[in-house]
Amino acid sequence: MPPRQSSDTSRGKAAVSDVYASMRAAILEGEMAPGARINIDAVSRSLGVSQTPVREVLQRLEGDNLVVYSPGRGYSTTPLLDLVELRSLFEFRLLVEPWAARAAAVDRLANPAAALEKELTGFRKTMKVTKDLRQDLVAHDTRFHDTILAASGNSVVRHAFGQTHCHLHTFRLYPADVDGAITVAEHSAVTDAIEACDPEGAEAAMTRHIRNSFDRFAQAFEGELAPLEEVGPPRKRIIK
Amino acid sequence: MPPRQSSDTSRGKAAVSDVYASMRAAILEGEMAPGARINIDAVSRSLGVSQTPVREVLQRLEGDNLVVYSPGRGYSTTPLLDLVELRSLFEFRLLVEPWAARAAAVDRLANPAAALEKELTGFRKTMKVTKDLRQDLVAHDTRFHDTILAASGNSVVRHAFGQTHCHLHTFRLYPADVDGAITVAEHSAVTDAIEACDPEGAEAAMTRHIRNSFDRFAQAFEGELAPLEEVGPPRKRIIK
DNA sequence: TTAACCAGATTCCTATATGATTTTGGCGCC
DNA sequence: GGCGCCAAAATCATATAGGAATCTGGTTAA
């Protein structure tokens, strides 16, 4: 973490805000390894602030599910997702994002097609020149999906989605380079349907995108949990 | 707020935990009015702790959407929901809860029917003797819905739902007594479908329950935003 | 009457200090 | 060689202190 880089000339007041941004970025970029203990004293000295604002930030990061707390033992970064959690996360995305895409594909000024096109065009250019494709892909993906959630007009859904920090958690699973081209193609399909004000098409395109995305990330667990052998439908009721 | 009532004999270590519970309860029970400023010094003295743990708790409560922060001006309790936010909240509930009810209505040991029956039976008894029906109804409703979310097996969905604090926010709108009988009847319908391992029926019953619940809470805004006059479908496209 | 201004007091926000708990390293014992 | 115990060090968690910003009320000028 860089030493504070305060927004106003140091010794100011925005310590908590700066520390939050720094620590969030450090966790997101893997600078703090998943599951590692966090030494409050080290962090505070590294950022040039006292321990008080660091502790406040840690409380907030716990609400963001970016750190976990053990009473008396302090804070650690959250460990990597296991396959069960990854499935839960993508089931949640399948619940809210296709709905949001449908809601965004309306013939109103809230339609986000222009912003999505701009985002896609910008990222296509970035892809050709960037030295850190993975980082840029995460940023693009985050903006793209949030734009659609915002256009849904439902702040509760948007906030709940944001709080899952799905991009952070999923991309921590995937240290290898990914083929941004596939993601861009799927994003294009979603954008086209939204631009055409086609709710059904937008919902379907988003559903396909998320399912494909899950398949790509689930490769990190290749072979870990082999599917159960087929047992057929249950023979009799076990409840009641 | 009572003066600390620490879990271990006071002067211990669980200050943050205690303070969090106290402040959360104070906001939930309306002891701290919606939109009111929070005086950190007053709270810390009232609870018998220093300002440090109080400030940490406030950061956490902000993540819970129970307080809002203005830099330099301190913290306030979140204001009451307006109609737009109430609609957003119930749209979110309509996205996740019917799905959870469907997921819970399975012929597996995760089926929560027994726990739901127990919860309902207990509340029916409580209704007859309680002096604070509203408080008990909130508690019952919270437990009932969380039980179903938990039984869905999806921790992300359950957590996202919990973070909305929908019971807190909606019941703050409703200082008047409510007829718990209606809620109990709808809960019974949901429970019966889950007990019968009827996913379609459980989903439908939950959808009906949430829609009815919205109608009841929306009465708080009676006449505030009259529906727009019917304008018919739009004549021509305005996007692109 | 209204608006602007300005000290005094309050309140926020960070820093530092201190007691309590956990971790670490080393030694003896089995 | 491995395991358990104990003191020292490190770390956590809260309390207290002080600088900086904001709010309050009273006064003056337009």
PDB file of all heavy atoms in Angstrom, chain B residues 11 13 15-16 50 52 72-73, chain D residues 13-17 21-23:
ATOM      1  N   ARG B  11     -16.564  -4.049  32.424  1.00  0.00           N
ATOM      2  CA  ARG B  11     -15.144  -3.739  32.295  1.00  0.00           C
ATOM      3  C   ARG B  11     -14.418  -4.854  31.534  1.00  0.00           C
ATOM      4  O   ARG B  11     -13.226  -5.016  31.621  1.00  0.00           O
ATOM      5  CB  ARG B  11     -14.530  -3.578  33.706  1.00  0.00           C
ATOM      6  CG  ARG B  11     -13.375  -2.607  33.768  1.00  0.00           C
ATOM      7  CD  ARG B  11     -13.588  -1.429  32.906  1.00  0.00           C
ATOM      8  NE  ARG B  11     -14.050  -0.275  33.674  1.00  0.00           N
ATOM      9  CZ  ARG B  11     -14.349   0.872  33.100  1.00  0.00           C
ATOM     10  NH1 ARG B  11     -14.276   1.010  31.791  1.00  0.00           N
ATOM     11  NH2 ARG B  11     -14.734   1.900  33.803  1.00  0.00           N
ATOM     12  N   LYS B  13     -14.327  -7.094  27.764  1.00  0.00           N
ATOM     13  CA  LYS B  13     -13.720  -6.867  26.466  1.00  0.00           C
ATOM     14  C   LYS B  13     -14.756  -6.774  25.359  1.00  0.00           C
ATOM     15  O   LYS B  13     -14.468  -6.305  24.279  1.00  0.00           O
ATOM     16  CB  LYS B  13     -12.781  -8.025  26.149  1.00  0.00           C
ATOM     17  CG  LYS B  13     -13.454  -9.344  26.428  1.00  0.00           C
ATOM     18  CD  LYS B  13     -12.673 -10.545  25.967  1.00  0.00           C
ATOM     19  CE  LYS B  13     -13.462 -11.798  26.271  1.00  0.00           C
ATOM     20  NZ  LYS B  13     -12.947 -12.977  25.597  1.00  0.00           N
ATOM     21  N   ALA B  15     -16.948  -4.932  24.505  1.00  0.00           N
ATOM     22  CA  ALA B  15     -17.600  -3.631  24.422  1.00  0.00           C
ATOM     23  C   ALA B  15     -18.261  -3.440  23.064  1.00  0.00           C
ATOM     24  O   ALA B  15     -19.436  -3.087  22.979  1.00  0.00           O
ATOM     25  CB  ALA B  15     -16.596  -2.521  24.701  1.00  0.00           C
ATOM     26  N   VAL B  16     -17.518  -3.698  21.994  1.00  0.00           N
ATOM     27  CA  VAL B  16     -18.069  -3.446  20.662  1.00  0.00           C
ATOM     28  C   VAL B  16     -19.321  -4.278  20.457  1.00  0.00           C
ATOM     29  O   VAL B  16     -20.336  -3.780  19.974  1.00  0.00           O
ATOM     30  CB  VAL B  16     -17.016  -3.764  19.585  1.00  0.00           C
ATOM     31  CG1 VAL B  16     -17.667  -3.873  18.228  1.00  0.00           C
ATOM     32  CG2 VAL B  16     -15.961  -2.661  19.554  1.00  0.00           C
ATOM     33  N   SER B  50     -16.088   4.196  26.219  1.00  0.00           N
ATOM     34  CA  SER B  50     -15.474   5.364  25.602  1.00  0.00           C
ATOM     35  C   SER B  50     -16.008   5.538  24.184  1.00  0.00           C
ATOM     36  O   SER B  50     -16.809   4.755  23.694  1.00  0.00           O
ATOM     37  CB  SER B  50     -13.963   5.219  25.569  1.00  0.00           C
ATOM     38  OG  SER B  50     -13.586   4.359  24.533  1.00  0.00           O
ATOM     39  N   THR B  52     -14.364   5.313  21.413  1.00  0.00           N
ATOM     40  CA  THR B  52     -13.728   4.458  20.406  1.00  0.00           C
ATOM     41  C   THR B  52     -14.641   3.321  19.946  1.00  0.00           C
ATOM     42  O   THR B  52     -14.896   3.197  18.742  1.00  0.00           O
ATOM     43  CB  THR B  52     -12.403   3.912  20.944  1.00  0.00           C
ATOM     44  OG1 THR B  52     -11.609   4.996  21.444  1.00  0.00           O
ATOM     45  CG2 THR B  52     -11.643   3.202  19.857  1.00  0.00           C
ATOM     46  N   GLY B  72     -17.618  15.245   8.607  1.00  0.00           N
ATOM     47  CA  GLY B  72     -17.522  16.463   9.397  1.00  0.00           C
ATOM     48  C   GLY B  72     -18.756  16.768  10.203  1.00  0.00           C
ATOM     49  O   GLY B  72     -18.703  17.567  11.129  1.00  0.00           O
ATOM     50  N   ARG B  73     -19.873  16.115   9.854  1.00  0.00           N
ATOM     51  CA  ARG B  73     -21.105  16.405  10.576  1.00  0.00           C
ATOM     52  C   ARG B  73     -21.571  15.239  11.425  1.00  0.00           C
ATOM     53  O   ARG B  73     -22.529  15.354  12.172  1.00  0.00           O
ATOM     54  CB  ARG B  73     -22.208  16.793   9.595  1.00  0.00           C
ATOM     55  CG  ARG B  73     -21.863  18.037   8.779  1.00  0.00           C
ATOM     56  CD  ARG B  73     -23.069  18.509   8.038  1.00  0.00           C
ATOM     57  NE  ARG B  73     -24.251  18.518   8.889  1.00  0.00           N
ATOM     58  CZ  ARG B  73     -25.482  18.725   8.455  1.00  0.00           C
ATOM     59  NH1 ARG B  73     -25.692  18.941   7.188  1.00  0.00           N
ATOM     60  NH2 ARG B  73     -26.507  18.715   9.295  1.00  0.00           N
TER      61      ARG B  73
ATOM     62  P    DA D  13      -9.412  -7.366  18.872  1.00  0.00           P
ATOM     63  OP1  DA D  13     -10.351  -8.475  19.083  1.00  0.00           O
ATOM     64  OP2  DA D  13      -9.393  -6.655  17.584  1.00  0.00           O
ATOM     65  O5'  DA D  13      -9.627  -6.285  20.023  1.00  0.00           O
ATOM     66  C5'  DA D  13      -9.849  -6.758  21.349  1.00  0.00           C
ATOM     67  C4'  DA D  13     -10.017  -5.574  22.283  1.00  0.00           C
ATOM     68  O4'  DA D  13      -8.753  -4.887  22.422  1.00  0.00           O
ATOM     69  C3'  DA D  13     -11.031  -4.524  21.819  1.00  0.00           C
ATOM     70  O3'  DA D  13     -11.939  -4.289  22.880  1.00  0.00           O
ATOM     71  C2'  DA D  13     -10.176  -3.287  21.521  1.00  0.00           C
ATOM     72  C1'  DA D  13      -8.982  -3.497  22.425  1.00  0.00           C
ATOM     73  N9   DA D  13      -7.746  -2.864  21.976  1.00  0.00           N
ATOM     74  C8   DA D  13      -7.236  -2.820  20.705  1.00  0.00           C
ATOM     75  N7   DA D  13      -6.103  -2.188  20.600  1.00  0.00           N
ATOM     76  C5   DA D  13      -5.832  -1.783  21.899  1.00  0.00           C
ATOM     77  C6   DA D  13      -4.767  -1.059  22.463  1.00  0.00           C
ATOM     78  N6   DA D  13      -3.729  -0.604  21.753  1.00  0.00           N
ATOM     79  N1   DA D  13      -4.806  -0.833  23.798  1.00  0.00           N
ATOM     80  C2   DA D  13      -5.847  -1.302  24.502  1.00  0.00           C
ATOM     81  N3   DA D  13      -6.910  -1.988  24.077  1.00  0.00           N
ATOM     82  C4   DA D  13      -6.838  -2.202  22.760  1.00  0.00           C
ATOM     83  P    DT D  14     -13.232  -3.364  22.626  1.00  0.00           P
ATOM     84  OP1  DT D  14     -14.383  -4.101  23.144  1.00  0.00           O
ATOM     85  OP2  DT D  14     -13.214  -2.875  21.236  1.00  0.00           O
ATOM     86  O5'  DT D  14     -12.963  -2.119  23.591  1.00  0.00           O
ATOM     87  C5'  DT D  14     -12.731  -2.376  24.974  1.00  0.00           C
ATOM     88  C4'  DT D  14     -11.975  -1.223  25.595  1.00  0.00           C
ATOM     89  O4'  DT D  14     -10.751  -0.990  24.868  1.00  0.00           O
ATOM     90  C3'  DT D  14     -12.715   0.120  25.601  1.00  0.00           C
ATOM     91  O3'  DT D  14     -13.047   0.423  26.943  1.00  0.00           O
ATOM     92  C2'  DT D  14     -11.717   1.125  24.998  1.00  0.00           C
ATOM     93  C1'  DT D  14     -10.399   0.359  25.046  1.00  0.00           C
ATOM     94  N1   DT D  14      -9.426   0.719  23.991  1.00  0.00           N
ATOM     95  C2   DT D  14      -8.257   1.325  24.325  1.00  0.00           C
ATOM     96  O2   DT D  14      -7.956   1.594  25.468  1.00  0.00           O
ATOM     97  N3   DT D  14      -7.418   1.611  23.269  1.00  0.00           N
ATOM     98  C4   DT D  14      -7.643   1.355  21.932  1.00  0.00           C
ATOM     99  O4   DT D  14      -6.829   1.662  21.083  1.00  0.00           O
ATOM    100  C5   DT D  14      -8.897   0.716  21.645  1.00  0.00           C
ATOM    101  C7   DT D  14      -9.251   0.388  20.232  1.00  0.00           C
ATOM    102  C6   DT D  14      -9.725   0.428  22.660  1.00  0.00           C
ATOM    103  P    DA D  15     -13.850   1.739  27.292  1.00  0.00           P
ATOM    104  OP1  DA D  15     -14.642   1.456  28.491  1.00  0.00           O
ATOM    105  OP2  DA D  15     -14.488   2.276  26.077  1.00  0.00           O
ATOM    106  O5'  DA D  15     -12.656   2.714  27.705  1.00  0.00           O
ATOM    107  C5'  DA D  15     -11.705   2.267  28.661  1.00  0.00           C
ATOM    108  C4'  DA D  15     -10.686   3.354  28.940  1.00  0.00           C
ATOM    109  O4'  DA D  15      -9.744   3.429  27.840  1.00  0.00           O
ATOM    110  C3'  DA D  15     -11.265   4.758  29.111  1.00  0.00           C
ATOM    111  O3'  DA D  15     -10.674   5.376  30.249  1.00  0.00           O
ATOM    112  C2'  DA D  15     -10.890   5.474  27.822  1.00  0.00           C
ATOM    113  C1'  DA D  15      -9.621   4.761  27.389  1.00  0.00           C
ATOM    114  N9   DA D  15      -9.438   4.707  25.943  1.00  0.00           N
ATOM    115  C8   DA D  15     -10.305   4.182  25.031  1.00  0.00           C
ATOM    116  N7   DA D  15      -9.878   4.251  23.787  1.00  0.00           N
ATOM    117  C5   DA D  15      -8.651   4.870  23.896  1.00  0.00           C
ATOM    118  C6   DA D  15      -7.692   5.241  22.939  1.00  0.00           C
ATOM    119  N6   DA D  15      -7.836   5.025  21.624  1.00  0.00           N
ATOM    120  N1   DA D  15      -6.564   5.843  23.377  1.00  0.00           N
ATOM    121  C2   DA D  15      -6.417   6.059  24.687  1.00  0.00           C
ATOM    122  N3   DA D  15      -7.252   5.758  25.679  1.00  0.00           N
ATOM    123  C4   DA D  15      -8.366   5.154  25.215  1.00  0.00           C
ATOM    124  P    DT D  16     -11.239   6.780  30.773  1.00  0.00           P
ATOM    125  OP1  DT D  16     -11.036   6.767  32.234  1.00  0.00           O
ATOM    126  OP2  DT D  16     -12.576   6.996  30.211  1.00  0.00           O
ATOM    127  O5'  DT D  16     -10.248   7.850  30.139  1.00  0.00           O
ATOM    128  C5'  DT D  16      -8.850   7.726  30.399  1.00  0.00           C
ATOM    129  C4'  DT D  16      -8.057   8.666  29.526  1.00  0.00           C
ATOM    130  O4'  DT D  16      -8.110   8.234  28.151  1.00  0.00           O
ATOM    131  C3'  DT D  16      -8.518  10.133  29.528  1.00  0.00           C
ATOM    132  O3'  DT D  16      -7.420  10.944  29.909  1.00  0.00           O
ATOM    133  C2'  DT D  16      -8.956  10.384  28.093  1.00  0.00           C
ATOM    134  C1'  DT D  16      -8.106   9.377  27.334  1.00  0.00           C
ATOM    135  N1   DT D  16      -8.639   8.978  26.006  1.00  0.00           N
ATOM    136  C2   DT D  16      -7.867   9.172  24.890  1.00  0.00           C
ATOM    137  O2   DT D  16      -6.755   9.659  24.927  1.00  0.00           O
ATOM    138  N3   DT D  16      -8.447   8.764  23.701  1.00  0.00           N
ATOM    139  C4   DT D  16      -9.694   8.200  23.546  1.00  0.00           C
ATOM    140  O4   DT D  16     -10.105   7.884  22.443  1.00  0.00           O
ATOM    141  C5   DT D  16     -10.448   8.028  24.756  1.00  0.00           C
ATOM    142  C7   DT D  16     -11.814   7.417  24.691  1.00  0.00           C
ATOM    143  C6   DT D  16      -9.899   8.418  25.914  1.00  0.00           C
ATOM    144  P    DA D  17      -7.609  12.505  30.104  1.00  0.00           P
ATOM    145  OP1  DA D  17      -6.809  12.880  31.278  1.00  0.00           O
ATOM    146  OP2  DA D  17      -9.049  12.835  30.044  1.00  0.00           O
ATOM    147  O5'  DA D  17      -6.896  13.101  28.811  1.00  0.00           O
ATOM    148  C5'  DA D  17      -5.575  12.642  28.474  1.00  0.00           C
ATOM    149  C4'  DA D  17      -5.087  13.357  27.229  1.00  0.00           C
ATOM    150  O4'  DA D  17      -5.688  12.743  26.054  1.00  0.00           O
ATOM    151  C3'  DA D  17      -5.431  14.837  27.151  1.00  0.00           C
ATOM    152  O3'  DA D  17      -4.352  15.547  26.568  1.00  0.00           O
ATOM    153  C2'  DA D  17      -6.659  14.866  26.260  1.00  0.00           C
ATOM    154  C1'  DA D  17      -6.351  13.730  25.291  1.00  0.00           C
ATOM    155  N9   DA D  17      -7.532  13.102  24.701  1.00  0.00           N
ATOM    156  C8   DA D  17      -8.670  12.702  25.347  1.00  0.00           C
ATOM    157  N7   DA D  17      -9.570  12.158  24.548  1.00  0.00           N
ATOM    158  C5   DA D  17      -8.976  12.200  23.301  1.00  0.00           C
ATOM    159  C6   DA D  17      -9.408  11.785  22.035  1.00  0.00           C
ATOM    160  N6   DA D  17     -10.590  11.207  21.808  1.00  0.00           N
ATOM    161  N1   DA D  17      -8.572  11.969  20.987  1.00  0.00           N
ATOM    162  C2   DA D  17      -7.386  12.546  21.204  1.00  0.00           C
ATOM    163  N3   DA D  17      -6.868  12.986  22.354  1.00  0.00           N
ATOM    164  C4   DA D  17      -7.718  12.782  23.377  1.00  0.00           C
ATOM    165  P    DA D  21      -9.775  22.363   9.849  1.00  0.00           P
ATOM    166  OP1  DA D  21      -9.247  21.936   8.540  1.00  0.00           O
ATOM    167  OP2  DA D  21      -9.483  23.720  10.375  1.00  0.00           O
ATOM    168  O5'  DA D  21     -11.360  22.180   9.818  1.00  0.00           O
ATOM    169  C5'  DA D  21     -11.906  20.886   9.626  1.00  0.00           C
ATOM    170  C4'  DA D  21     -13.258  20.792  10.308  1.00  0.00           C
ATOM    171  O4'  DA D  21     -13.092  21.022  11.722  1.00  0.00           O
ATOM    172  C3'  DA D  21     -14.285  21.829   9.827  1.00  0.00           C
ATOM    173  O3'  DA D  21     -15.346  21.170   9.173  1.00  0.00           O
ATOM    174  C2'  DA D  21     -14.761  22.537  11.111  1.00  0.00           C
ATOM    175  C1'  DA D  21     -14.266  21.613  12.220  1.00  0.00           C
ATOM    176  N9   DA D  21     -13.920  22.323  13.448  1.00  0.00           N
ATOM    177  C8   DA D  21     -12.845  23.139  13.663  1.00  0.00           C
ATOM    178  N7   DA D  21     -12.781  23.632  14.877  1.00  0.00           N
ATOM    179  C5   DA D  21     -13.885  23.109  15.503  1.00  0.00           C
ATOM    180  C6   DA D  21     -14.380  23.246  16.811  1.00  0.00           C
ATOM    181  N6   DA D  21     -13.804  23.999  17.754  1.00  0.00           N
ATOM    182  N1   DA D  21     -15.514  22.578  17.122  1.00  0.00           N
ATOM    183  C2   DA D  21     -16.094  21.829  16.185  1.00  0.00           C
ATOM    184  N3   DA D  21     -15.723  21.620  14.925  1.00  0.00           N
ATOM    185  C4   DA D  21     -14.603  22.291  14.643  1.00  0.00           C
ATOM    186  P    DT D  22     -16.532  22.059   8.509  1.00  0.00           P
ATOM    187  OP1  DT D  22     -17.006  21.317   7.336  1.00  0.00           O
ATOM    188  OP2  DT D  22     -16.045  23.444   8.370  1.00  0.00           O
ATOM    189  O5'  DT D  22     -17.663  22.040   9.624  1.00  0.00           O
ATOM    190  C5'  DT D  22     -18.030  20.789  10.229  1.00  0.00           C
ATOM    191  C4'  DT D  22     -18.984  21.028  11.385  1.00  0.00           C
ATOM    192  O4'  DT D  22     -18.285  21.672  12.486  1.00  0.00           O
ATOM    193  C3'  DT D  22     -20.179  21.947  11.047  1.00  0.00           C
ATOM    194  O3'  DT D  22     -21.362  21.316  11.504  1.00  0.00           O
ATOM    195  C2'  DT D  22     -19.880  23.223  11.811  1.00  0.00           C
ATOM    196  C1'  DT D  22     -19.100  22.695  13.007  1.00  0.00           C
ATOM    197  N1   DT D  22     -18.191  23.684  13.661  1.00  0.00           N
ATOM    198  C2   DT D  22     -18.364  23.983  14.999  1.00  0.00           C
ATOM    199  O2   DT D  22     -19.231  23.493  15.688  1.00  0.00           O
ATOM    200  N3   DT D  22     -17.471  24.907  15.507  1.00  0.00           N
ATOM    201  C4   DT D  22     -16.447  25.534  14.815  1.00  0.00           C
ATOM    202  O4   DT D  22     -15.712  26.342  15.378  1.00  0.00           O
ATOM    203  C5   DT D  22     -16.333  25.174  13.429  1.00  0.00           C
ATOM    204  C7   DT D  22     -15.246  25.801  12.603  1.00  0.00           C
ATOM    205  C6   DT D  22     -17.192  24.276  12.923  1.00  0.00           C
ATOM    206  P    DC D  23     -22.783  21.832  10.969  1.00  0.00           P
ATOM    207  OP1  DC D  23     -23.550  20.632  10.565  1.00  0.00           O
ATOM    208  OP2  DC D  23     -22.567  22.936  10.002  1.00  0.00           O
ATOM    209  O5'  DC D  23     -23.453  22.436  12.278  1.00  0.00           O
ATOM    210  C5'  DC D  23     -23.647  21.563  13.383  1.00  0.00           C
ATOM    211  C4'  DC D  23     -23.817  22.388  14.667  1.00  0.00           C
ATOM    212  O4'  DC D  23     -22.642  23.199  14.884  1.00  0.00           O
ATOM    213  C3'  DC D  23     -25.016  23.346  14.656  1.00  0.00           C
ATOM    214  O3'  DC D  23     -25.802  23.100  15.810  1.00  0.00           O
ATOM    215  C2'  DC D  23     -24.361  24.733  14.685  1.00  0.00           C
ATOM    216  C1'  DC D  23     -23.049  24.451  15.405  1.00  0.00           C
ATOM    217  N1   DC D  23     -21.954  25.426  15.112  1.00  0.00           N
ATOM    218  C2   DC D  23     -21.426  26.197  16.162  1.00  0.00           C
ATOM    219  O2   DC D  23     -21.885  26.057  17.303  1.00  0.00           O
ATOM    220  N3   DC D  23     -20.429  27.094  15.895  1.00  0.00           N
ATOM    221  C4   DC D  23     -19.955  27.209  14.649  1.00  0.00           C
ATOM    222  N4   DC D  23     -18.968  28.086  14.445  1.00  0.00           N
ATOM    223  C5   DC D  23     -20.469  26.439  13.579  1.00  0.00           C
ATOM    224  C6   DC D  23     -21.462  25.568  13.846  1.00  0.00           C
TER     225       DC D  23
END
